[in-house]
Amino acid sequence: MSKKPAARKKPQVPSPKALAPSPKSRKHVYFFGNGKADGNRNMKDLLGGKGSGLAEMTNAGLPVPPGFTISTDVCNIYYKEKQKIPAAIDREIADHVKQLERTAGATLGSIENPLLVSVRSGAKFSMPGMMDTILNLGLNDESVEGLKNRTKNGRFAFDSYRRFIQMFGNVVLEIPKAAFDHEFDAVKKARGAKIDTDLDEAALREVVQRYKKVVKERARKDFPQHPHLQLTMSRDAVFRSWMNPRAIEYRRIYDIPDHIGTAVNVQMMVFGNTGDRSATGVGFTRSPATGAKEFYGEFLINAQGEDVVSGVRTPQPIRELEQVLPKAYAQLRQITTRLEKHYKDIQDFEFTIQDEHLYMLQTRSGKRTGYAAVVIATDLVAEKLITPKEAILLVDPESLNQLLAPGFDQDEWKSIPTATKGLPASPGAASGQVVFTADHAVEWTAQGKQVILVRRETVPDDIHGMFVAQGILTATGGMTSHAAVVGRQMGKPSIVGAGELEIDEHAKRFRVGAKTVKEGDYISFDGLTGEVKIAQVASKPSEILQALNGTLDRKKSDIYQRFEKLLSWADKVRRLGVYANADLPDQAALAYAFGARGIGLCRTEHMFFGEGRIPIVQRMILADSEADRRAALNELLPLQREDFYGVFKAMRGCPVTIRTIDPPLHEFLPKREDLMVDVARLETAGTSGAELDEKRRLLHRVEQLHEFNPMLGHRGVRLGITYPEITEMQTRAIIEAACRLNKEGVRIAPEIMIPLVGLVKELHDQKAIVDRVAADVMKEQGITIKYLVGTMIEIPRGCLVADQIAREAQFFSFGTNDLTQLTFGFSRDDSGKFLKVYQEKKILEKDPFASIDVEGVGDLVRVGVERGRRGRPGLKLGICGEHGGDAASIHFFHQVGLDYVSASPYRVPVARLAAAHAALSVKVGD
Ligand code: ADP
Ligand code: MG
Ligand code: MG
């Protein structure tokens, strides 16, 4: 969309250069007002979410104060030009100020009729509390008197002025809020005022004087009186706030790129602080916590915007607005219902009522919990507002995890007395040790503890602690406070406004009733009911899991029904198959219940760790001769056969891919250091005999097997080639189990997968063994079954010669864990340390082990797919790395044409939904 203006200017064949926007010709400022806007809802990239919403509402004829949006491009230009705005753009902004003055019938800086504006940040993605807004800009020592004369309301004029100085001082001049609060409290105290509305004009004049002194002392200059200067300084401060540390941290957590920039909205002020016929508030068209269809929100009489969320006064529930200002309330209901229908999604809105006139200040799709997302999506379909396809796109695949998170055992929970109740801001069960600062939350979590962050109220700087905590509990704030909004978005259990908590953050303790809770004590809470208890409470599987495993009647679980419905819609539109990585029968059964219709990776070696098996495996490894090794393998055979039988059975005839042994053998032996200690201990104790001999033998073998770089050493297909009898035993176990099931009437066709192949001859060697043993077994069993032999493609060379390999392989499964490791040369087990720094320094945007590196590793996959299919048309292709459960990676696998992804059982629902998103998305990578 960014290409249009330039393309229009140059009618000849556009070269790539001509398509790029030229800074001169391009429009940078977009007006809205009087029922018409330059922008619309589809321009979020350029106008940010707020700007595009204001434009759309203006076009729809809703009461929106006029203004203009400075585009996100300007933010990028600002940074490119070393924090300067080019003169041409400055002029464009000045022209729009004039247009706004004409529309508003008021003039910036005028004494008789001053125009006041807000300067509001707004990026494409909303970042609650991360960036800054300034209200009442345009006031100075003269215009404040003008405002007073015009409105005959001196209290209002000086209330607005003190707010402006504080916000400007804080945001632009970077003076801590506390410096202003200190003065404000002093005046309140001196005048015996309990809340801000108790202060009269004289008191507020004094506050203004004191605030100006704070500015003079802290910023070493006078509060700027010139409105145009106030405006440019505020605009630049908003651009600067894009790069403040907490905004950067926020974007890192939510994977929002830095380069998209923020827009700046300059908008005529409307006033909720002119008296008790005025108000300001925020709300949702449905509950963002549970999804229930109820009008939801909060407001304050005689207040301005920030008051509602900042907790200076406790806001009233929005229902009460109906009694106080019935006409405005009715209009608000009507407008927000219309907005929800228009956007086909739950709306989160801001409004201000000035002397009974309603104004809309913001609308956007409401952030919601995973639980609410599923409820809302299925409800909107039932209400015929959206189609099932649209419903699929309304739920972020990742958020389904919240529905699978455990809850409390209700019997235990009910047996513990409730210490207090707060507002249920974000559902889920949380239990952990109390900490009072975000830094402690991070420290303690790093030590392996589970913590609950308890704060009077959270601030945007707490984001890192909120991220790691099990849950968030605050004493103040409403359902739309910072803690509530962020908690919901993170899917983190949260309770806010638990007013009975007396928190002493310095002493690191809180009191509730007669009880005192210190840092480190355990508490638990239920974010759905708001109940807090002073105890550690064990959790219990989620309702959905209970419904799936039969401990709860599926028909009785509303959320299970909705979950299933949504996923069944997803199944209809997705092209990718969804398999699971499962090694044992019970995992396979869970995966099947979650909707996996195949096993993409069954790691046989995990079975070796089963009860009583390790000694047999060690005997096999320690064997000096092939005969001894075969004897040990013969003992393993029946055990493996039972495992495979169980997995096949749990999958009810769906494809099951079994990988032959992969890890280096030393992983099955004790650690060298441990053995050395044991041997030394036995020697000094003077012990001799079988135990010492055994330990010495083990140590000797461990030393023999020692490798400098085991991940690149004797593992995978290399084991099968050097010890063919292992491949023989595993094949026999697989085919015998499959024959038995086929005889029992379950038609299963196992897929035998050879790991770590880079040379076609490696596979050729192993396939010959598999085919020979399979033929023997089928003959013995008197039954013929179908089976496939394929390989994991996880070595870069394997991708490059995929055409050759495909002539031997009947399927490929991309092992993207090893492929990532080998392509980057990053050890998966050691890269944690430096990858963190890589991400901080933006050398890598994402951890390539979590989300596929599309450019590099992804390109190898693409090559493997193309060459593989060239070698064998119709070759079956899947992926079984961790990436199989990652939504962004699934988009790529869809695009590159794989047949299925295989994810861990708990990620199967996420993968089903992500695969549907991929199939529905017009543009991949959007
Ligand atoms: P945020 O993104 O943090 O919500 P906003 O830019 O939306 O920041 O503004 C903060 C508060 O100020 C909101 O309550 C908003 O409604 C209010 N506000 C912003 N602009 C105006 C305006 N022109 N008139 C009245 N209130 C405003
Ligand atoms: Mg807002
Ligand atoms: Mg591997």
Side-chain angles (χ1 to χ4, degrees), residues 659 662 709-718 755-759 762 792-800 814-829 831 834-835 848-849 852-853 856-858 860-861 883:
R659 180 177 73 183
D662 182 51
N709 203 340
M711 289 320 282
L712 299 178
H714 195 182
R715 57 174 286 227
V717 67
R718 302 153 204 170
L756 226 64
V757 165
L759 298 157
E762 290 172 327
M792 253 171 113
I793 297 287
E794 52 188 335
I795 286 193
R797 190 178 198 280
C799 297
L800 300 175
F814 288 92
T816 50
N817 297 343
D818 267 308
L819 191 59
T820 299
Q821 166 164 270
L822 294 168
T823 302
F824 276 95
F826 290 166
S827 155
R828 227 187 349 145
D829 307 304
S831 55
F834 58 84
L835 276 186
F849 290 105
I852 192 102
D853 157 48
V857 180
L860 277 171
V861 172
H883 304 98

Short mmCIF file of all heavy atoms in Angstrom, two decimals, residues 659 662 709-718 755-759 762 792-800 814-829 831 834-835 848-849 852-853 856-858 860-861 883:
data_model
loop_
_atom_site.label_atom_id
_atom_site.label_comp_id
_atom_site.label_asym_id
_atom_site.label_seq_id
_atom_site.Cartn_x
_atom_site.Cartn_y
_atom_site.Cartn_z
N ARG A 659 11.69 -43.90 14.54
CA ARG A 659 13.09 -43.63 14.20
C ARG A 659 14.00 -44.66 14.85
O ARG A 659 13.85 -44.95 16.04
CB ARG A 659 13.47 -42.23 14.69
CG ARG A 659 14.92 -41.87 14.37
CD ARG A 659 15.23 -40.46 14.80
NE ARG A 659 15.33 -40.34 16.25
CZ ARG A 659 15.54 -39.19 16.89
NH1 ARG A 659 15.65 -38.06 16.20
NH2 ARG A 659 15.61 -39.16 18.19
N ASP A 662 19.27 -43.13 17.70
CA ASP A 662 19.92 -41.90 17.24
C ASP A 662 21.08 -41.39 18.11
O ASP A 662 22.11 -41.01 17.59
CB ASP A 662 18.85 -40.80 17.09
CG ASP A 662 19.42 -39.50 16.56
OD1 ASP A 662 20.11 -39.53 15.52
OD2 ASP A 662 19.17 -38.45 17.17
N ASN A 709 33.24 -34.37 20.38
CA ASN A 709 32.08 -33.65 19.89
C ASN A 709 30.98 -34.64 19.54
O ASN A 709 30.72 -34.91 18.38
CB ASN A 709 32.50 -32.86 18.65
CG ASN A 709 31.59 -31.69 18.43
OD1 ASN A 709 30.47 -31.69 18.96
ND2 ASN A 709 32.04 -30.73 17.67
N PRO A 710 30.36 -35.20 20.59
CA PRO A 710 29.44 -36.32 20.36
C PRO A 710 28.31 -36.01 19.39
O PRO A 710 27.85 -36.89 18.67
CB PRO A 710 28.89 -36.62 21.75
CG PRO A 710 29.62 -35.76 22.72
CD PRO A 710 30.45 -34.79 21.99
N MET A 711 27.85 -34.74 19.36
CA MET A 711 26.73 -34.44 18.46
C MET A 711 27.14 -34.60 17.00
O MET A 711 26.31 -34.77 16.12
CB MET A 711 26.19 -33.03 18.71
CG MET A 711 25.44 -32.87 20.04
SD MET A 711 24.40 -34.27 20.46
CE MET A 711 23.00 -33.95 19.40
N LEU A 712 28.44 -34.54 16.74
CA LEU A 712 28.93 -34.75 15.38
C LEU A 712 29.65 -36.09 15.29
O LEU A 712 30.40 -36.33 14.36
CB LEU A 712 29.92 -33.63 15.00
CG LEU A 712 29.38 -32.21 15.00
CD1 LEU A 712 30.50 -31.23 14.64
CD2 LEU A 712 28.25 -32.07 14.00
N GLY A 713 29.41 -36.94 16.27
CA GLY A 713 30.20 -38.15 16.35
C GLY A 713 29.45 -39.39 15.93
O GLY A 713 28.70 -39.40 14.95
N HIS A 714 29.65 -40.43 16.72
CA HIS A 714 29.15 -41.76 16.39
C HIS A 714 27.69 -41.87 16.82
O HIS A 714 27.39 -42.30 17.94
CB HIS A 714 30.01 -42.78 17.11
CG HIS A 714 29.83 -44.17 16.59
ND1 HIS A 714 30.48 -45.24 17.11
CD2 HIS A 714 29.07 -44.65 15.58
CE1 HIS A 714 30.13 -46.34 16.45
NE2 HIS A 714 29.26 -46.00 15.52
N ARG A 715 26.81 -41.47 15.97
CA ARG A 715 25.39 -41.47 16.32
C ARG A 715 24.56 -41.62 15.04
O ARG A 715 25.11 -41.63 13.94
CB ARG A 715 25.01 -40.16 17.05
CG ARG A 715 25.34 -38.90 16.26
CD ARG A 715 24.83 -37.63 16.93
NE ARG A 715 23.40 -37.54 16.79
CZ ARG A 715 22.75 -36.43 16.41
NH1 ARG A 715 23.43 -35.31 16.16
NH2 ARG A 715 21.45 -36.41 16.29
N GLY A 716 23.23 -41.72 15.20
CA GLY A 716 22.34 -41.80 14.06
C GLY A 716 22.65 -43.01 13.18
O GLY A 716 23.01 -44.08 13.68
N VAL A 717 22.52 -42.78 11.89
CA VAL A 717 22.71 -43.88 10.94
C VAL A 717 24.09 -44.52 11.10
O VAL A 717 24.30 -45.69 10.82
CB VAL A 717 22.50 -43.37 9.49
CG1 VAL A 717 23.59 -42.37 9.09
CG2 VAL A 717 22.46 -44.52 8.49
N ARG A 718 25.02 -43.74 11.63
CA ARG A 718 26.39 -44.27 11.78
C ARG A 718 26.41 -45.45 12.75
O ARG A 718 27.22 -46.36 12.61
CB ARG A 718 27.31 -43.15 12.27
CG ARG A 718 27.31 -41.97 11.29
CD ARG A 718 27.65 -40.64 11.97
NE ARG A 718 27.09 -39.53 11.19
CZ ARG A 718 27.05 -38.27 11.61
NH1 ARG A 718 27.53 -37.96 12.80
NH2 ARG A 718 26.52 -37.35 10.85
N PRO A 755 17.80 -41.99 10.93
CA PRO A 755 18.22 -40.61 11.21
C PRO A 755 19.58 -40.24 10.62
O PRO A 755 20.41 -41.12 10.35
CB PRO A 755 18.30 -40.59 12.74
CG PRO A 755 18.57 -42.00 13.14
CD PRO A 755 17.97 -42.88 12.09
N LEU A 756 19.78 -38.94 10.45
CA LEU A 756 21.09 -38.34 10.19
C LEU A 756 21.76 -38.76 8.88
O LEU A 756 22.98 -38.81 8.78
CB LEU A 756 22.01 -38.69 11.38
CG LEU A 756 22.85 -37.56 11.96
CD1 LEU A 756 21.98 -36.48 12.55
CD2 LEU A 756 23.79 -38.09 13.03
N VAL A 757 20.94 -39.02 7.88
CA VAL A 757 21.50 -39.46 6.60
C VAL A 757 22.00 -38.25 5.81
O VAL A 757 21.28 -37.26 5.66
CB VAL A 757 20.44 -40.24 5.80
CG1 VAL A 757 20.84 -40.40 4.34
CG2 VAL A 757 20.19 -41.59 6.44
N GLY A 758 23.21 -38.35 5.30
CA GLY A 758 23.75 -37.29 4.44
C GLY A 758 24.24 -37.85 3.12
O GLY A 758 24.47 -37.12 2.16
N LEU A 759 24.40 -39.16 3.09
CA LEU A 759 24.91 -39.85 1.90
C LEU A 759 23.88 -40.88 1.48
O LEU A 759 23.39 -41.64 2.33
CB LEU A 759 26.20 -40.59 2.24
CG LEU A 759 27.38 -39.75 2.70
CD1 LEU A 759 28.34 -40.59 3.51
CD2 LEU A 759 28.07 -39.15 1.48
N GLU A 762 24.43 -44.43 2.73
CA GLU A 762 24.09 -44.75 4.12
C GLU A 762 22.68 -45.33 4.17
O GLU A 762 22.42 -46.36 4.81
CB GLU A 762 24.13 -43.49 5.00
CG GLU A 762 25.52 -42.93 5.25
CD GLU A 762 25.49 -41.56 5.96
OE1 GLU A 762 24.55 -40.77 5.72
OE2 GLU A 762 26.40 -41.29 6.74
N MET A 792 15.30 -39.13 7.97
CA MET A 792 15.25 -37.77 8.48
C MET A 792 16.22 -36.96 7.66
O MET A 792 17.35 -37.40 7.43
CB MET A 792 15.68 -37.75 9.93
CG MET A 792 14.51 -37.54 10.84
SD MET A 792 14.95 -37.76 12.50
CE MET A 792 14.75 -36.11 13.10
N ILE A 793 15.77 -35.80 7.25
CA ILE A 793 16.68 -34.89 6.55
C ILE A 793 17.06 -33.82 7.58
O ILE A 793 16.24 -32.99 7.95
CB ILE A 793 16.01 -34.27 5.31
CG1 ILE A 793 15.64 -35.37 4.30
CG2 ILE A 793 16.91 -33.23 4.68
CD1 ILE A 793 16.81 -35.96 3.55
N GLU A 794 18.27 -33.90 8.05
CA GLU A 794 18.67 -33.02 9.14
C GLU A 794 20.14 -32.63 9.03
O GLU A 794 20.70 -31.99 9.91
CB GLU A 794 18.40 -33.68 10.49
CG GLU A 794 18.98 -35.06 10.62
CD GLU A 794 18.54 -35.79 11.88
OE1 GLU A 794 18.20 -35.11 12.86
OE2 GLU A 794 18.54 -37.03 11.88
N ILE A 795 20.76 -33.06 7.93
CA ILE A 795 22.14 -32.68 7.67
C ILE A 795 22.11 -31.84 6.40
O ILE A 795 21.44 -32.23 5.43
CB ILE A 795 22.98 -33.95 7.48
CG1 ILE A 795 23.16 -34.59 8.84
CG2 ILE A 795 24.30 -33.68 6.79
CD1 ILE A 795 24.19 -35.65 8.89
N PRO A 796 22.76 -30.69 6.38
CA PRO A 796 22.69 -29.87 5.17
C PRO A 796 22.98 -30.65 3.89
O PRO A 796 22.29 -30.49 2.88
CB PRO A 796 23.73 -28.79 5.44
CG PRO A 796 23.74 -28.65 6.93
CD PRO A 796 23.51 -30.03 7.46
N ARG A 797 23.94 -31.55 3.94
CA ARG A 797 24.23 -32.32 2.74
C ARG A 797 23.02 -33.12 2.27
O ARG A 797 22.79 -33.29 1.08
CB ARG A 797 25.42 -33.28 2.98
CG ARG A 797 25.90 -33.93 1.70
CD ARG A 797 27.11 -34.85 1.93
NE ARG A 797 27.79 -35.13 0.67
CZ ARG A 797 27.39 -36.02 -0.22
NH1 ARG A 797 26.30 -36.72 -0.01
NH2 ARG A 797 28.06 -36.19 -1.35
N GLY A 798 22.24 -33.61 3.24
CA GLY A 798 21.04 -34.37 2.90
C GLY A 798 20.07 -33.53 2.07
O GLY A 798 19.42 -34.03 1.16
N CYS A 799 19.96 -32.24 2.39
CA CYS A 799 19.07 -31.35 1.62
C CYS A 799 19.61 -31.19 0.20
O CYS A 799 18.85 -31.19 -0.77
CB CYS A 799 19.00 -29.97 2.28
SG CYS A 799 18.28 -30.01 3.92
N LEU A 800 20.92 -31.06 0.11
CA LEU A 800 21.52 -30.77 -1.20
C LEU A 800 21.43 -31.96 -2.14
O LEU A 800 21.25 -31.79 -3.34
CB LEU A 800 22.97 -30.32 -1.02
CG LEU A 800 23.13 -29.06 -0.16
CD1 LEU A 800 24.60 -28.74 0.07
CD2 LEU A 800 22.43 -27.87 -0.81
N PHE A 814 11.85 -33.66 7.90
CA PHE A 814 12.91 -32.70 8.17
C PHE A 814 13.13 -32.59 9.67
O PHE A 814 12.20 -32.29 10.42
CB PHE A 814 12.58 -31.33 7.58
CG PHE A 814 12.69 -31.34 6.08
CD1 PHE A 814 11.59 -31.60 5.29
CD2 PHE A 814 13.91 -31.11 5.46
CE1 PHE A 814 11.70 -31.64 3.90
CE2 PHE A 814 14.04 -31.15 4.09
CZ PHE A 814 12.92 -31.42 3.31
N GLY A 815 14.34 -32.91 10.09
CA GLY A 815 14.68 -32.80 11.51
C GLY A 815 15.28 -31.43 11.72
O GLY A 815 16.49 -31.24 11.66
N THR A 816 14.41 -30.45 11.96
CA THR A 816 14.89 -29.06 11.93
C THR A 816 15.70 -28.69 13.16
O THR A 816 16.35 -27.64 13.15
CB THR A 816 13.71 -28.09 11.76
OG1 THR A 816 12.71 -28.43 12.71
CG2 THR A 816 13.14 -28.18 10.36
N ASN A 817 15.70 -29.51 14.21
CA ASN A 817 16.57 -29.20 15.35
C ASN A 817 18.03 -29.38 14.95
O ASN A 817 18.84 -28.46 15.08
CB ASN A 817 16.28 -30.10 16.55
CG ASN A 817 14.87 -29.91 17.08
OD1 ASN A 817 14.23 -28.91 16.77
ND2 ASN A 817 14.41 -30.85 17.86
N ASP A 818 18.35 -30.58 14.48
CA ASP A 818 19.73 -30.81 14.05
C ASP A 818 20.06 -29.96 12.84
O ASP A 818 21.18 -29.47 12.70
CB ASP A 818 19.95 -32.29 13.73
CG ASP A 818 20.46 -33.05 14.94
OD1 ASP A 818 21.46 -32.60 15.53
OD2 ASP A 818 19.86 -34.08 15.30
N LEU A 819 19.09 -29.81 11.95
CA LEU A 819 19.38 -29.03 10.74
C LEU A 819 19.75 -27.58 11.10
O LEU A 819 20.64 -26.99 10.51
CB LEU A 819 18.17 -29.06 9.80
CG LEU A 819 18.41 -28.51 8.39
CD1 LEU A 819 19.51 -29.30 7.67
CD2 LEU A 819 17.13 -28.56 7.55
N THR A 820 19.07 -27.04 12.10
CA THR A 820 19.40 -25.68 12.55
C THR A 820 20.79 -25.66 13.18
O THR A 820 21.63 -24.81 12.88
CB THR A 820 18.35 -25.18 13.56
OG1 THR A 820 17.07 -25.16 12.91
CG2 THR A 820 18.68 -23.78 14.07
N GLN A 821 21.03 -26.64 14.03
CA GLN A 821 22.32 -26.74 14.70
C GLN A 821 23.46 -26.83 13.70
O GLN A 821 24.49 -26.16 13.82
CB GLN A 821 22.27 -27.97 15.61
CG GLN A 821 23.58 -28.45 16.14
CD GLN A 821 23.38 -29.41 17.31
OE1 GLN A 821 23.31 -28.99 18.46
NE2 GLN A 821 23.27 -30.70 17.03
N LEU A 822 23.25 -27.66 12.69
CA LEU A 822 24.34 -27.90 11.74
C LEU A 822 24.47 -26.80 10.70
O LEU A 822 25.54 -26.58 10.14
CB LEU A 822 24.13 -29.26 11.06
CG LEU A 822 24.24 -30.45 12.02
CD1 LEU A 822 23.74 -31.73 11.38
CD2 LEU A 822 25.69 -30.61 12.48
N THR A 823 23.37 -26.11 10.42
CA THR A 823 23.43 -25.04 9.43
C THR A 823 24.10 -23.80 10.03
O THR A 823 24.93 -23.17 9.39
CB THR A 823 22.01 -24.69 8.94
OG1 THR A 823 21.43 -25.86 8.38
CG2 THR A 823 22.06 -23.60 7.88
N PHE A 824 23.74 -23.49 11.27
CA PHE A 824 24.36 -22.34 11.93
C PHE A 824 25.73 -22.70 12.51
O PHE A 824 26.55 -21.82 12.76
CB PHE A 824 23.48 -21.85 13.09
CG PHE A 824 22.38 -20.93 12.68
CD1 PHE A 824 21.10 -21.40 12.42
CD2 PHE A 824 22.61 -19.56 12.56
CE1 PHE A 824 20.08 -20.54 12.07
CE2 PHE A 824 21.60 -18.69 12.21
CZ PHE A 824 20.33 -19.18 11.96
N GLY A 825 25.93 -24.00 12.80
CA GLY A 825 27.10 -24.38 13.58
C GLY A 825 26.95 -23.96 15.03
O GLY A 825 27.93 -23.75 15.73
N PHE A 826 25.68 -23.80 15.48
CA PHE A 826 25.41 -23.48 16.88
C PHE A 826 25.06 -24.77 17.60
O PHE A 826 24.13 -25.45 17.19
CB PHE A 826 24.16 -22.59 17.00
CG PHE A 826 24.30 -21.19 16.50
CD1 PHE A 826 23.15 -20.43 16.30
CD2 PHE A 826 25.54 -20.61 16.25
CE1 PHE A 826 23.23 -19.11 15.84
CE2 PHE A 826 25.63 -19.30 15.80
CZ PHE A 826 24.48 -18.56 15.59
N SER A 827 25.76 -25.07 18.67
CA SER A 827 25.36 -26.22 19.46
C SER A 827 24.05 -25.90 20.17
O SER A 827 23.93 -24.87 20.83
CB SER A 827 26.44 -26.54 20.48
OG SER A 827 25.88 -27.22 21.57
N ARG A 828 23.10 -26.81 20.04
CA ARG A 828 21.81 -26.56 20.66
C ARG A 828 21.91 -26.47 22.17
O ARG A 828 21.17 -25.78 22.83
CB ARG A 828 20.85 -27.69 20.30
CG ARG A 828 19.56 -27.12 19.87
CD ARG A 828 18.43 -28.05 19.64
NE ARG A 828 18.64 -29.45 19.61
CZ ARG A 828 17.73 -30.28 20.09
NH1 ARG A 828 16.65 -29.81 20.67
NH2 ARG A 828 17.91 -31.57 19.99
N ASP A 829 22.86 -27.21 22.72
CA ASP A 829 22.97 -27.26 24.17
C ASP A 829 23.82 -26.14 24.75
O ASP A 829 23.79 -25.89 25.94
CB ASP A 829 23.54 -28.61 24.59
CG ASP A 829 22.74 -29.73 23.98
OD1 ASP A 829 21.52 -29.75 24.21
OD2 ASP A 829 23.32 -30.55 23.24
N SER A 831 24.21 -22.95 23.03
CA SER A 831 24.01 -21.65 22.38
C SER A 831 23.23 -20.66 23.24
O SER A 831 23.18 -19.48 22.93
CB SER A 831 23.32 -21.84 21.04
OG SER A 831 22.13 -22.56 21.22
N PHE A 834 25.13 -17.26 24.25
CA PHE A 834 25.37 -16.18 23.30
C PHE A 834 24.12 -15.81 22.48
O PHE A 834 24.00 -14.70 22.01
CB PHE A 834 26.56 -16.49 22.39
CG PHE A 834 26.44 -17.76 21.60
CD1 PHE A 834 25.75 -17.79 20.41
CD2 PHE A 834 27.01 -18.93 22.07
CE1 PHE A 834 25.64 -18.96 19.68
CE2 PHE A 834 26.92 -20.11 21.35
CZ PHE A 834 26.23 -20.13 20.15
N LEU A 835 23.19 -16.76 22.34
CA LEU A 835 22.00 -16.39 21.57
C LEU A 835 21.22 -15.26 22.23
O LEU A 835 20.61 -14.43 21.55
CB LEU A 835 21.08 -17.60 21.39
CG LEU A 835 21.43 -18.53 20.23
CD1 LEU A 835 20.38 -19.60 20.06
CD2 LEU A 835 21.56 -17.73 18.92
N PRO A 848 16.60 -19.22 16.64
CA PRO A 848 16.32 -20.08 15.48
C PRO A 848 15.94 -21.51 15.87
O PRO A 848 15.45 -22.26 15.04
CB PRO A 848 17.64 -20.07 14.70
CG PRO A 848 18.68 -19.72 15.70
CD PRO A 848 18.01 -18.84 16.73
N PHE A 849 16.15 -21.87 17.14
CA PHE A 849 15.72 -23.20 17.57
C PHE A 849 14.24 -23.20 17.95
O PHE A 849 13.62 -24.25 18.05
CB PHE A 849 16.57 -23.69 18.76
CG PHE A 849 17.98 -24.01 18.36
CD1 PHE A 849 19.02 -23.16 18.71
CD2 PHE A 849 18.26 -25.14 17.61
CE1 PHE A 849 20.32 -23.46 18.33
CE2 PHE A 849 19.56 -25.44 17.22
CZ PHE A 849 20.60 -24.59 17.58
N ILE A 852 11.63 -21.14 13.03
CA ILE A 852 12.54 -21.50 11.94
C ILE A 852 13.18 -20.27 11.30
O ILE A 852 12.54 -19.25 11.09
CB ILE A 852 11.81 -22.34 10.87
CG1 ILE A 852 12.79 -22.98 9.89
CG2 ILE A 852 10.82 -21.51 10.07
CD1 ILE A 852 13.04 -24.40 10.16
N ASP A 853 14.45 -20.36 11.03
CA ASP A 853 15.18 -19.33 10.30
C ASP A 853 14.84 -19.50 8.82
O ASP A 853 15.42 -20.33 8.14
CB ASP A 853 16.68 -19.52 10.57
CG ASP A 853 17.53 -18.90 9.48
OD1 ASP A 853 17.27 -17.75 9.11
OD2 ASP A 853 18.45 -19.60 8.99
N GLY A 856 17.76 -19.05 6.00
CA GLY A 856 18.87 -20.00 5.88
C GLY A 856 18.39 -21.44 5.96
O GLY A 856 18.32 -22.14 4.95
N VAL A 857 18.02 -21.84 7.17
CA VAL A 857 17.58 -23.22 7.38
C VAL A 857 16.34 -23.50 6.51
O VAL A 857 16.23 -24.55 5.88
CB VAL A 857 17.28 -23.45 8.87
CG1 VAL A 857 16.81 -24.87 9.10
CG2 VAL A 857 18.52 -23.15 9.71
N GLY A 858 15.45 -22.51 6.47
CA GLY A 858 14.24 -22.68 5.67
C GLY A 858 14.57 -22.90 4.20
O GLY A 858 13.92 -23.68 3.51
N LEU A 860 17.21 -24.33 3.03
CA LEU A 860 17.66 -25.72 2.88
C LEU A 860 16.47 -26.66 2.83
O LEU A 860 16.45 -27.63 2.06
CB LEU A 860 18.59 -26.09 4.04
CG LEU A 860 20.05 -25.66 3.88
CD1 LEU A 860 20.80 -25.89 5.19
CD2 LEU A 860 20.72 -26.44 2.76
N VAL A 861 15.47 -26.39 3.65
CA VAL A 861 14.26 -27.21 3.61
C VAL A 861 13.62 -27.11 2.21
O VAL A 861 13.25 -28.12 1.62
CB VAL A 861 13.25 -26.78 4.70
CG1 VAL A 861 11.92 -27.49 4.53
CG2 VAL A 861 13.82 -27.03 6.09
N HIS A 883 10.09 -26.97 15.78
CA HIS A 883 9.40 -25.97 14.96
C HIS A 883 8.01 -26.44 14.52
O HIS A 883 7.20 -25.62 14.13
CB HIS A 883 10.24 -25.65 13.74
CG HIS A 883 11.63 -25.19 14.08
ND1 HIS A 883 12.72 -26.04 14.06
CD2 HIS A 883 12.10 -23.99 14.47
CE1 HIS A 883 13.81 -25.36 14.42
NE2 HIS A 883 13.45 -24.13 14.68
#
